[in-house]
Short mmCIF file of all heavy atoms in Angstrom, two decimals:
data_model
loop_
_atom_site.label_atom_id
_atom_site.label_comp_id
_atom_site.label_asym_id
_atom_site.label_seq_id
_atom_site.Cartn_x
_atom_site.Cartn_y
_atom_site.Cartn_z
N PRO A 12 -28.08 233.02 195.56
CA PRO A 12 -29.50 232.62 195.21
C PRO A 12 -29.55 231.94 193.86
O PRO A 12 -28.87 232.39 192.93
CB PRO A 12 -30.24 233.92 195.26
CG PRO A 12 -29.27 234.97 194.95
CD PRO A 12 -27.96 234.49 195.50
N GLY A 17 -39.36 231.37 185.04
CA GLY A 17 -40.80 231.47 185.08
C GLY A 17 -41.46 230.12 185.38
O GLY A 17 -40.92 229.04 184.96
N ALA A 32 -53.14 227.24 181.63
CA ALA A 32 -52.62 228.49 182.21
C ALA A 32 -51.84 229.28 181.09
O ALA A 32 -51.26 228.71 180.20
CB ALA A 32 -51.70 228.25 183.38
N LEU A 35 -46.89 234.50 180.80
CA LEU A 35 -46.42 235.74 180.28
C LEU A 35 -45.26 236.17 181.15
O LEU A 35 -45.21 237.35 181.62
CB LEU A 35 -47.54 236.79 180.20
CG LEU A 35 -48.77 236.41 179.40
CD1 LEU A 35 -49.88 237.48 179.60
CD2 LEU A 35 -48.43 236.28 177.96
N LEU A 45 -39.65 229.37 163.16
CA LEU A 45 -39.67 229.65 161.76
C LEU A 45 -39.57 228.45 160.90
O LEU A 45 -38.94 227.46 161.25
CB LEU A 45 -38.50 230.59 161.42
CG LEU A 45 -38.50 231.96 162.04
CD1 LEU A 45 -36.98 232.49 162.12
CD2 LEU A 45 -39.40 232.90 161.27
N VAL A 92 -26.46 235.10 178.11
CA VAL A 92 -26.10 235.08 179.55
C VAL A 92 -24.77 234.30 179.72
O VAL A 92 -23.95 234.60 180.58
CB VAL A 92 -27.23 234.55 180.45
CG1 VAL A 92 -27.50 233.07 180.06
CG2 VAL A 92 -26.90 234.69 181.90
N GLN A 96 -21.13 235.58 181.50
CA GLN A 96 -20.32 234.84 182.45
C GLN A 96 -18.89 234.76 181.95
O GLN A 96 -17.91 234.86 182.70
CB GLN A 96 -20.93 233.45 182.76
CG GLN A 96 -20.11 232.68 183.78
CD GLN A 96 -20.80 231.36 184.19
OE1 GLN A 96 -21.94 231.26 184.11
NE2 GLN A 96 -20.05 230.47 184.70
N MET A 118 -29.08 238.50 186.48
CA MET A 118 -27.90 237.64 186.49
C MET A 118 -26.64 238.50 186.72
O MET A 118 -25.59 238.04 187.15
CB MET A 118 -27.73 236.96 185.18
CG MET A 118 -28.61 235.72 185.01
SD MET A 118 -28.40 234.47 186.36
CE MET A 118 -26.77 233.95 186.05
N LEU A 122 -23.30 237.01 188.60
CA LEU A 122 -22.06 236.81 187.86
C LEU A 122 -20.88 237.43 188.50
O LEU A 122 -19.75 236.90 188.59
CB LEU A 122 -22.19 237.32 186.43
CG LEU A 122 -23.20 236.61 185.51
CD1 LEU A 122 -23.38 237.40 184.20
CD2 LEU A 122 -22.82 235.21 185.20
N VAL A 165 -24.65 247.74 180.30
CA VAL A 165 -25.76 248.65 180.04
C VAL A 165 -26.78 247.90 179.23
O VAL A 165 -26.61 247.60 178.05
CB VAL A 165 -25.34 249.89 179.22
CG1 VAL A 165 -26.52 250.77 178.88
CG2 VAL A 165 -24.23 250.73 179.96
N GLY A 173 -38.07 247.57 180.41
CA GLY A 173 -38.28 247.80 179.09
C GLY A 173 -37.94 249.21 178.52
O GLY A 173 -37.97 249.47 177.36
N LEU A 181 -26.24 258.12 175.64
CA LEU A 181 -25.46 257.01 175.63
C LEU A 181 -24.09 257.28 174.99
O LEU A 181 -23.08 256.84 175.49
CB LEU A 181 -26.13 255.86 174.88
CG LEU A 181 -25.49 254.49 174.83
CD1 LEU A 181 -25.15 253.99 176.24
CD2 LEU A 181 -26.36 253.47 174.10
N ASP A 186 -18.26 258.07 175.75
CA ASP A 186 -17.10 258.90 175.59
C ASP A 186 -16.40 259.24 176.97
O ASP A 186 -15.25 259.56 176.98
CB ASP A 186 -17.47 260.24 174.93
CG ASP A 186 -17.85 260.00 173.44
OD1 ASP A 186 -17.43 258.92 172.87
OD2 ASP A 186 -18.49 260.89 172.87
N VAL A 213 -24.41 248.47 167.76
CA VAL A 213 -23.36 248.10 166.91
C VAL A 213 -22.79 249.38 166.18
O VAL A 213 -21.56 249.46 165.97
CB VAL A 213 -23.87 247.11 165.78
CG1 VAL A 213 -22.76 246.79 164.78
CG2 VAL A 213 -24.39 245.82 166.50
N LEU A 234 -35.55 231.26 169.30
CA LEU A 234 -34.80 230.07 169.63
C LEU A 234 -34.54 229.93 171.06
O LEU A 234 -33.48 229.45 171.46
CB LEU A 234 -33.46 230.09 168.82
CG LEU A 234 -33.55 230.23 167.28
CD1 LEU A 234 -32.14 230.14 166.68
CD2 LEU A 234 -34.44 229.16 166.74
N LEU A 237 -33.17 226.66 172.33
CA LEU A 237 -31.98 226.14 171.76
C LEU A 237 -30.70 226.90 172.30
O LEU A 237 -29.62 226.38 172.15
CB LEU A 237 -31.96 226.16 170.23
CG LEU A 237 -32.98 225.17 169.64
CD1 LEU A 237 -33.02 225.34 168.06
CD2 LEU A 237 -32.49 223.68 169.92
N LEU A 242 -21.61 237.83 170.72
CA LEU A 242 -21.00 239.11 171.03
C LEU A 242 -20.30 239.66 169.84
O LEU A 242 -19.68 238.89 169.06
CB LEU A 242 -19.98 238.92 172.18
CG LEU A 242 -19.11 240.12 172.56
CD1 LEU A 242 -18.94 240.23 174.07
CD2 LEU A 242 -17.73 239.94 171.94
N VAL A 249 -11.28 241.39 172.49
CA VAL A 249 -12.38 241.10 173.39
C VAL A 249 -13.08 239.86 173.02
O VAL A 249 -13.40 238.97 173.80
CB VAL A 249 -13.35 242.31 173.41
CG1 VAL A 249 -14.62 241.98 174.24
CG2 VAL A 249 -12.71 243.53 173.90
N VAL A 262 -22.47 225.55 172.26
CA VAL A 262 -23.47 225.84 171.23
C VAL A 262 -23.58 224.61 170.37
O VAL A 262 -22.71 224.31 169.57
CB VAL A 262 -23.16 227.11 170.43
CG1 VAL A 262 -24.31 227.36 169.51
CG2 VAL A 262 -22.88 228.27 171.34
N CYS A 284 -41.82 240.75 164.64
CA CYS A 284 -41.51 241.84 165.55
C CYS A 284 -42.51 242.99 165.44
O CYS A 284 -42.91 243.54 166.48
CB CYS A 284 -40.05 242.29 165.39
SG CYS A 284 -38.83 241.16 165.94
N PHE A 312 -42.08 243.17 176.35
CA PHE A 312 -42.79 243.07 177.61
C PHE A 312 -43.09 244.43 178.12
O PHE A 312 -42.53 245.45 177.63
CB PHE A 312 -41.90 242.28 178.65
CG PHE A 312 -40.53 242.88 178.85
CD1 PHE A 312 -40.30 243.95 179.67
CD2 PHE A 312 -39.44 242.36 178.14
CE1 PHE A 312 -39.04 244.48 179.84
CE2 PHE A 312 -38.17 242.88 178.30
CZ PHE A 312 -37.95 243.92 179.14
N THR A 321 -46.88 244.35 194.56
CA THR A 321 -46.46 243.43 193.50
C THR A 321 -46.77 241.94 193.85
O THR A 321 -47.40 241.29 193.03
CB THR A 321 -44.95 243.58 193.36
OG1 THR A 321 -44.67 244.84 192.85
CG2 THR A 321 -44.42 242.52 192.39
N ALA A 322 -46.35 241.48 194.98
CA ALA A 322 -46.54 240.04 195.32
C ALA A 322 -48.00 239.66 195.32
O ALA A 322 -48.36 238.59 194.89
CB ALA A 322 -45.83 239.73 196.65
#
Side-chain angles (χ1 to χ4, degrees):
L35 301 175
L45 294 157
V92 66
Q96 181 170 339
M118 285 301 295
L122 295 172
V165 178
L181 188 51
D186 290 341
V213 179
L234 302 185
L237 289 175
L242 173 139
V249 174
V262 183
C284 289
F312 53 84
T321 296

